Amino acid sequence: MFEEVSASASGIAWVHENAMSPNRYLPETMGPGVAFFDYDNDGWPDIFMVNSGAADFYTPGTPLKNALYKNNHDGTFTDVTEKAGVAGGKEFGMGCAIADYDNDGCADILVTAYGRCTLYRNNGNGTFTDVTEKAGLAAPGWTTSAVWFDYDNDGRVDLFLCSFVEFSLKSNVFCGDNKLGKRFYCIPRVFKPTPSLLYHNNGDGTFTEVSAGTDIHRALGKALGVVATDINGDGLMDLFVANDTVQNFLFANRGKGKWDEIALAAEVGFSVNGTPRSGMGVDATDINGDGRQDLFVANVDQEMFSLYKNDGNEFFSDVAAFHGVAQATRLLSGWGLKFFDYDNDGFVDLFLANGHPDDMIDSYSQQVKYKEPLLLFHNDGTKLSNVSGQAGPVFKKMFAARGLAVGDYNNDGRIDVLIGNNGGAPVLLKNNGGDGNHWLGVKLQGTSCNRDAIGATITWSAGGITRSRYKSNGGSYLSSHDMRDVLGVGSATKIEWLEIKWPQPSGRVERLTDLPIDRYVTVVEGKGRVES
């Protein structure tokens, strides 16, 4: 179902440099993030990948650069990094978050790092400008995942930055030697936690940090993954944050700048035994079609991953064992992950990218390996099933996987996958699943709400079945996804209607009929469908 596309076939020659050294500095093992996004508005998703760079513990022998690959519309990509002006390399890059922060119709890039963040504004002509200082987003320290979302419903996307641990060359901790007599990577437990950051979009190209005095600032964590979604249906986007070796956070948005950290009460903060785990990748979706957003978090080996069913009233229960996810992930460490409907049957499935953080684990563990397999779970509407064994030869291979992004790079209606590997080449997977199933691709374009329509609800009816999808943002680990939604309708050959509930400040509801099948359309807020 998923076919690995070779570098010679795709034209993607970039390789991540993790700067691995005998001193085993923790940032070496954390990257890279990847993204699918259409930087030139030609309707074909391009690819962006984040590299490491100069840091107080690392001086590259040759300059390192991120990678921006333009989609050639024929399954191949061309490197346009230098021309676009997004090479970076001045900081030790981690991840990326992509959205149209200034509502000008062009997708912009935020790169997180150990060091200074970088905001690249899309100029609309194939080039980007570093506007970090002007925007006020040169966040210091060590940032990992990030998410754009409109927390105050003013029609402009704001920014949440995951902050990891206190780390520097001078304050680095020596954790000793392993059984091989070699220095090993410290478990993040030995480093001090830090507060994450929330920035308000001022609408003039600048941002103001507004987390001070809120639970976001008071909650000291070691944040690696974040997803913005609406857990309680109040029209305000909340934040689920995965933390490494301390409890996860669930920031409930109460409006007017107030946030409540409710993870403990919601039972998503700790394991069922009440212990913190090594949270890395996260996502949110409505897994069972009950209209409520469920949550997922991936952890390190022996801890098992969690699928939290939303029971309503801001309470969750872990159903990972019921779905077979807990058992399948006991010996794995999960990073990038995403819920998406890979076979267009209308039910959201789950893709997991895994890899252990310790590159020497093979030498002193009989069960846990450094490079680990990918996992694919199929959703039949009632239960998830592990179908990795039938999904293609790539699922028999092992990877040091980190970031994962999804997007339909060949516009065939089947969502593809891009995986960033630590210290290696990325993996591009072409989706060949769902033969015979039909679909509709939808690109939402806000006018009074944020341009990307993050926070919208899409409802559609086909074959007498009505389904709904909430447009969360973020998720996975260090990565960003194709903003378009592919709505699977299975064997149905007609979509009776499509309804969009746009985010505030308008909150208007629009219903469309006479829709095509097996193609992409653009829906503009207040104007109805525009053909793609």
Side-chain angles (χ1 to χ4, degrees), residues 11 28 35 87 105 143 158 160 257 271 337 340 353 374 445 482 489 492 501:
E28 298 168 4
T143 52
D158 311 295
F160 179 87
S271 72
L337 59 95
F340 65 101
L374 308 171
Q445 183 178 311
D482 188 346
V489 297
K501 182 180 180 182

Side-chain angles (χ1 to χ4, degrees), residues 3-279:
E3 172 189 351
E4 186 176 1
V5 182
S6 67
S8 59
S10 68
I12 299 174
W14 180 88
V15 176
H16 177 250
E17 171 58 61
N18 60 2
M20 188 176 287
S21 68
N23 290 316
R24 294 298 195 270
Y25 297 115
L26 190 57
E28 298 168 4
T29 193
M30 305 299 285
V34 296
F36 279 115
F37 81 116
D38 184 6
Y39 84 95
D40 53 0
N41 284 331
D42 64 356
W44 294 78
D46 311 294
I47 284 174
F48 182 73
M49 296 174 286
V50 180
N51 213 343
S52 60
D56 55 1
F57 63 87
Y58 175 60
T59 302
T62 57
L64 299 178
K65 66 177 184 177
N66 305 321
L68 177 61
Y69 278 91
K70 175 177 169 53
N71 191 326
N72 298 326
H73 310 179
D74 60 0
T76 69
F77 295 82
T78 298
D79 187 342
V80 295
T81 313
E82 295 290 352
K83 177 183 176 182
V86 293
K90 296 179 182 178
E91 311 290 339
F92 200 90
M94 286 281 129
C96 54
I98 294 171
D100 182 1
Y101 78 86
D102 52 3
N103 289 338
D104 67 351
C106 299
D108 311 295
I109 307 172
L110 185 282
V111 177
T112 62
Y114 167 69
R116 167 188 179 272
C117 288
T118 306
L119 178 63
Y120 293 106
R121 182 182 180 274
N122 191 331
N123 299 320
N125 60 1
T127 69
F128 293 77
T129 299
D130 182 344
V131 295
T132 315
E133 296 296 338
K134 175 188 174 185
L137 290 179
W142 183 355
T143 52
T144 53
S145 293
V147 63
W148 296 98
F149 73 120
D150 185 5
Y151 77 85
D152 57 352
N153 288 330
D154 65 355
R156 300 184 295 266
V157 287
D158 311 295
L159 179 67
F160 179 87
L161 285 172
C162 287
S163 180
F164 196 39
V165 298
E166 287 187 17
F167 181 90
S168 70
L169 180 61
K170 291 182 179 179
S171 64
N172 187 41
V173 180
F174 175 64
C175 291
D177 297 331
N178 58 22
K179 297 175 183 177
L180 306 175
K182 296 181 179 179
R183 188 167 185 171
F184 61 91
Y185 290 111
C186 293
I187 296 173
R189 187 176 294 111
V190 304
F191 294 98
K192 292 181 180 178
T194 59
S196 291
L197 302 165
L198 178 65
Y199 288 90
H200 178 258
N201 187 334
N202 300 322
D204 59 0
T206 69
F207 293 79
T208 300
E209 205 259 292
V210 292
S211 42
T214 71
D215 273 9
I216 292 176
H217 181 77
R218 286 187 286 266
L220 298 181
K222 302 175 184 181
L224 290 180
V226 61
V227 63
T229 193
D230 184 358
I231 62 161
N232 50 19
D234 65 355
L236 299 169
M237 296 195 80
D238 312 295
L239 295 164
F240 180 52
V241 179
N243 284 305
D244 197 339
T245 69
V246 298
Q247 74 154 83
N248 300 321
F249 297 143
L250 182 57
F251 294 113
N253 185 349
R254 304 307 189 194
K256 298 182 179 179
K258 179 173 172 55
W259 298 85
D260 285 341
E261 200 293 290
I262 61 170
L264 182 60
E267 295 203 5
V268 298
F270 297 95
S271 72
V272 291
N273 298 323
T275 57
R277 293 182 289 184
S278 300

